[in-house]
Amino acid sequence: MKKVYVNEDWCLACHLCEFYCAAANSGAPDMVKAFKSGKKPVPRIQVEEGSDVNFAVQCRHCDGKACVKGCITGALSIKDGVVVCDESRCVGCYTCVLSCPFGCIVIDEEGHRIQKCDLCTKNHDGEPACVQGCPNKAIVFEER
Amino acid sequence: MAIEFMNPLFEVIRDSDRCIKCRVCERQCANEVHKYDADLDKMISNEMTCVDCQRCVCLCPTHALKIRPNENQFRENANWTHQTMDEVYKQAGSGGVLLSAMGNPKDLPVYWDRILLNASQVTNPPIDPLREPMETKTFLGKKNQGITYDENGKAHYDKTPYLELDVPIMFSAMSFGSISKNAHESLARAATELGTFYNTGEGGLHRDFYKYGANTICQVASGRFGVFKGYLDAGAAIEIKMGQGAKPGIGGHLPGMKINDEISRTRMIPKGTDAISPAPHHDIYSIEDLRQLVISLKEATNWEKPIIVKIAAVHNVAAIASGVARSGADIIAIDGFRGGTGAAPTRIRDNVGIPIELALAAVDSRLRDEGIRNDVSVVVGGSVRSAADVVKAIALGADAVYIATSALLAMGCHLCRSCNTGKCNWGIATQRADLVKRLNPDIAAERLVNLVTAWDHEIKEMMGGMGINSIEALRGNRLMLRGVGLTQKELDILGIQHAGE
Ligand code: SF4
Ligand code: SF4
Ligand code: SF4
Ligand code: SF4
């Protein structure tokens, strides 16, 4: 299964991936509208910056032992290998936020529910928005 | 604070309707032009240090940015232009020699643009490169004349070393030091994939790149940086650099602050010391001396590698090339006055040397007249900007061309001409680790391969149009060229007729 992988050697900490992710999942038709109409959308990918090494982290789509098992309402599940969230069932208990060992689950802009990377399966066809927006191939979408 | 006499050269225009304050421009500008002001909740700019490298413009996700020439102008004066005045202010402030980078930007004639190509009509049909074989492979080195046959009819000839190029385009010398390790790796990988060569420049060969040796030309320059037996053996050819088009008669100076661990190891000089290449080779004061170095290098490499001698295009270039051809060199590389550089004194860059088109024509004619054209191959560089320039160069008499500026552009360079500051925002002409990282060789090598492949297609198309199906048949075929708007003297030197003749 294709997943997003990190090439930390090439990450510039430009944060573009965050903006492309936030815009792609906002439902707005373009970046300007996504950020200029009301609340700023929150990205599902986050760049960790160090002095020499930077990298972008989003859901690893692991076996879900922590977040899926811990979810009290069954909002999180694994569909075709992708860990997805059914937002209509999320009650905002944040159990998953606390339990994800990679810190990949974030709270949405309203502050009532979680949101997480679904590999752009709901908003996009083709390559995930973050990978498309990265100027230096520091994140790639591939089979490994 | 003293009064700043100069204005910013550029204006940063930010469309606030589009700017989403993502701060990408701020993070990507090594010149610290952009800044987010939290109190104002706004992006602000300090244009004084902007060099118009376009990095921020290319990365802004909402296309909110434009960099424009500063509209604020000094009072108009055809003699004292804004730039001339700025240069005086700059020197009055610094007391130093003006430094510049990349090629001569002055509005001097570009002869390539005054030369037109022929095409076949009716009697000599054009060739369709997509349907018929078309050869852009070429060989550089001595062309042996004397073939003898023994009693069994077997041919015998002296085989001298040569370079085999799948395309008549090579990447010219750019040292590790003047450009980054990632830029070098990109060139090396692209040359390997394209079946051509890249050139180490005078900075030695990084230990990680010996594996690309079969596609490497190792340069020996006046500073002799990084030269040892292993280095000479590593490449496919050795180039002796006598001069460079951007700064004929001048050596080089890589400031100590750029000599980091890797560069110090590759150049074999102490870390932090200035790398100074003298203007002359201190052991070469005549063609005989040059011959000694050519022979020494051949001897050192077991007579297995062709030797290139690179000279700048200067007034007596034809006579100099004739001497070089007699020095035992296999290939002469001539670099025109529009060639690039990482740093050169501005006055030298803009006023010394001659156009490559004239130099090439003069050298080719001279070598033919003297009957020694086949003793050497001629490679030209110094602003070969397109496939059309390549075709014209070959028709004027070149065996192949060297490109460097075009190669840098393919990797992201926007010709902001600030290589000398060491803060290249595109990760090319810099040694700052955070900036070098911006050039991912996976991306850059692919773009270089794309560029040369595209040119190769265009060369084939233009040759096909002329009814020519190989580089060999195009070389020196000046009948395929016509000049427009040139004086009789210029036409005579170029050895071509005027359009309509
Ligand atoms: S867009 Fe790419 S280079 Fe920029 S921060 Fe994200 S992963 Fe790193
Ligand atoms: S794959 Fe899509 S949802 Fe996941 S981090 Fe990238 S842009 Fe965001
Ligand atoms: S990169 Fe563009 S959108 Fe982002 S802060 Fe700069 S001008 Fe604004
Ligand atoms: S120096 Fe380059 S990155 Fe900085 S503002 Fe000017 S054009 Fe943009």
Side-chain angles (χ1 to χ4, degrees):
Chain A
M1 186 196 140
K2 275 173 129 184
K3 286 189 192 175
V4 175
Y5 295 98
V6 176
N7 279 334
E8 69 277 8
D9 283 351
W10 304 120
C11 179
L12 314 174
C14 69
H15 294 258
L16 274 170
C17 48
E18 295 177 354
F19 287 87
Y20 281 102
C21 172
N25 289 297
S26 69
D30 62 59
M31 178 87 69
V32 177
K33 205 158 178 196
F35 280 87
K36 287 207 178 257
S37 34
K39 280 227 168 69
K40 281 197 175 165
V42 175
R44 294 147 194 230
I45 184 166
Q46 267 153 338
V47 179
E48 300 291 334
E49 287 185 47
S51 56
D52 296 329
V53 184
N54 320 296
F55 51 86
V57 199
Q58 90 283 61
C59 173
R60 306 282 83 212
H61 300 282
C62 64
D63 58 11
K65 278 216 175 73
C67 65
V68 176
K69 281 246 164 93
C71 178
I72 61 167
T73 64
L76 290 173
S77 63
I78 302 187
K79 265 205 199 103
D80 304 326
V82 185
V83 178
V84 290
C85 175
D86 175 354
E87 278 97 357
S88 66
R89 301 178 77 167
C90 174
V91 295
C93 70
Y94 304 152
T95 308
C96 54
V97 177
L98 290 172
S99 56
C100 172
F102 305 103
C104 291
I105 301 185
V106 294
I107 297 163
D108 75 0
E109 48 271 16
E110 309 290 340
H112 301 314
R113 281 188 301 215
I114 67 100
Q115 59 178 28
K116 67 176 295 302
C117 165
D118 54 14
L119 291 179
C120 283
T121 43
K122 289 189 195 151
N123 62 46
H124 230 254
D125 37 16
E127 228 170 55
C130 54
V131 172
Q132 278 182 351
C134 175
N136 212 31
K137 286 203 179 151
I139 36 178
V140 289
F141 185 53
E142 60 189 31
E143 198 91 40
R144 275 197 188 169
Chain B
M1 204 169 89
I3 300 177
E4 179 59 75
F5 284 34
M6 285 164 51
N7 313 139
L9 287 172
F10 308 101
E11 282 175 30
V12 177
I13 314 284
R14 194 186 322 269
D15 182 346
S16 55
D17 283 345
R18 291 175 154 263
C19 176
I20 57 170
K21 293 168 261 185
C22 69
R23 304 176 69 177
V24 167
C25 49
E26 180 184 12
R27 294 188 191 98
Q28 290 290 300
C29 178
N31 295 313
E32 297 174 12
V33 171
H34 308 275
K35 199 168 143 239
Y36 175 68
D37 188 306
D39 298 333
L40 301 173
D41 184 30
K42 231 177 142 173
M43 295 300 302
I44 51 173
S45 345
N46 169 17
E47 290 143 330
M48 205 63 214
T49 50
C50 175
V51 296
D52 196 7
C53 72
Q54 298 280 321
R55 178 79 184 178
C56 57
V57 176
C58 292
L59 267 78
C60 171
T62 60
H63 309 292
L65 286 170
K66 273 196 197 91
I67 310 290
R68 286 208 301 231
N70 189 352
E71 275 181 19
N72 179 44
Q73 288 294 321
F74 301 149
R75 185 157 183 187
E76 225 165 275
N77 188 321
N79 183 32
W80 289 96
T81 60
H82 193 112
Q83 191 189 346
T84 314
M85 288 173 67
D86 262 352
E87 286 172 350
V88 170
Y89 291 140
K90 213 185 226 174
Q91 291 191 297
S94 70
V97 170
L98 291 172
L99 281 182
S100 294
M102 294 315 292
N104 189 337
K106 293 261 154 105
D107 188 17
L108 289 155
V110 178
Y111 287 96
W112 301 131
D113 295 340
R114 303 283 182 85
I115 298 176
L116 299 174
L117 294 170
N118 194 22
S120 306
Q121 298 293 295
V122 188
T123 51
N124 49 347
I127 301 170
D128 183 345
L130 296 175
R131 291 164 202 273
E132 290 174 67
M134 179 74 69
E135 189 77 275
T136 47
K137 186 186 275 292
T138 191
F139 296 86
L140 300 182
K142 293 184 194 304
K143 304 277 183 303
N144 292 298
Q145 308 263 297
I147 301 179
T148 53
Y149 297 90
D150 62 18
E151 56 274 19
N152 303 320
K154 202 171 163 1
H156 291 278
Y157 51 89
D158 285 343
K159 210 166 148 217
T160 46
Y162 60 88
L163 293 179
E164 180 178 338
L165 277 64
D166 287 344
V167 282
I169 300 168
M170 302 189 287
F171 300 124
S172 59
M174 288 177 275
S175 69
F176 171 44
S178 74
I179 60 170
S180 65
K181 188 180 169 210
N182 290 350
H184 245 217
E185 181 175 346
S186 309
L187 290 164
R189 280 164 55 177
T192 305
E193 198 175 327
L194 289 162
T196 182
F197 299 86
Y198 85 108
N199 188 314
T200 59
E202 58 177 324
L205 183 60
H206 191 280
R207 60 190 182 285
D208 292 352
F209 301 153
Y210 275 70
K211 56 175 182 269
Y212 303 111
N215 296 84
T216 305
I217 295 170
C218 293
Q219 201 181 59
V220 172
S222 61
R224 303 283 203 270
F225 298 119
V227 177
F228 70 108
K229 173 100 169 87
Y231 171 72
L232 298 176
D233 285 336
I238 300 170
E239 181 173 273
I240 302 172
K241 176 193 176 186
M242 297 305 303
Q244 181 178 346
K247 42 179 175 179
I250 291 275
H253 179 181
L254 192 67
M257 64 172 189
K258 288 195 189 171
I259 313 289
N260 58 24
D261 280 327
E262 293 283 298
I263 293 179
S264 121
R265 197 165 155 178
T266 308
R267 294 206 173 208
M268 304 166 125
I269 54 170
K271 195 176 155 184
T273 52
D274 290 10
I276 296 176
S277 308
H281 284 247
H282 286 307
D283 50 358
I284 300 181
Y285 287 87
S286 65
I287 295 293
E288 291 73 17
D289 291 346
L290 175 63
R291 184 175 174 80
Q292 279 196 5
L293 182 59
V294 170
I295 306 279
S296 313
L297 291 172
K298 281 186 178 273
E299 197 63 53
T301 51
N302 208 20
W303 294 78
E304 280 162 4
K305 296 180 200 294
I307 307 287
I308 307 170
V309 173
K310 176 176 175 176
I311 53 172
V314 290
H315 298 179
N316 281 325
V317 68
I320 297 163
S322 161
V324 171
R326 292 161 205 279
S327 73
D330 302 271
I331 301 162
I332 305 180
I334 316 168
D335 196 14
F337 81 141
R338 248 178 272 108
T341 172
T346 310
R347 302 300 176 224
I348 303 271
R349 185 196 66 175
D350 294 353
N351 297 285
V352 181
I354 65 168
I356 189 62
E357 303 89 328
L358 302 179
L360 164 61
V363 167
D364 182 65
S365 304
R366 175 79 175 244
L367 297 183
R368 277 171 201 280
D369 290 349
E370 294 182 0
I372 52 174
R373 181 64 183 81
N374 284 333
D375 292 354
V376 279
S377 286
V378 175
V379 177
V380 295
S383 204
V384 172
R385 305 155 304 166
S386 69
D389 291 357
V390 178
V391 171
K392 290 170 190 175
I394 294 172
L396 271 182
D399 290 84
V401 303
Y402 258 148
I403 61 167
T405 302
S406 324
L408 295 181
L409 294 180
M411 292 196 273
C413 167
H414 277 63
L415 278 187
C416 71
R417 314 199 295 262
S418 338
C419 320
N420 49 314
T421 64
K423 288 197 280 192
C424 173
N425 270 323
W426 292 90
I428 301 170
T430 179
Q431 303 303 327
R432 236 174 76 176
D434 60 320
L435 299 178
V436 172
K437 204 188 248 191
R438 295 182 183 181
L439 189 73
N440 181 341
D442 288 344
I443 301 173
E446 187 187 327
R447 293 181 61 86
L448 287 165
V449 170
N450 286 346
L451 177 77
V452 175
T453 309
W455 285 19
D456 190 41
H457 285 307
E458 292 177 333
I459 292 170
K460 287 179 178 165
E461 236 159 43
M462 282 180 273
M463 291 202 311
M466 293 185 264
I468 287 175
N469 63 4
S470 74
I471 294 291
E472 307 299 323
L474 177 65
R475 181 174 314 119
N477 198 339
R478 296 192 197 178
L479 284 174
M480 291 297 144
L481 305 175
R482 290 289 185 276
V484 272
L486 297 178
T487 64
Q488 190 53 49
K489 187 76 194 169
E490 289 168 318
L491 293 168
D492 289 347
I493 294 169
L494 289 167
I496 61 175
Q497 291 182 303
H498 199 275
E501 276 187 294

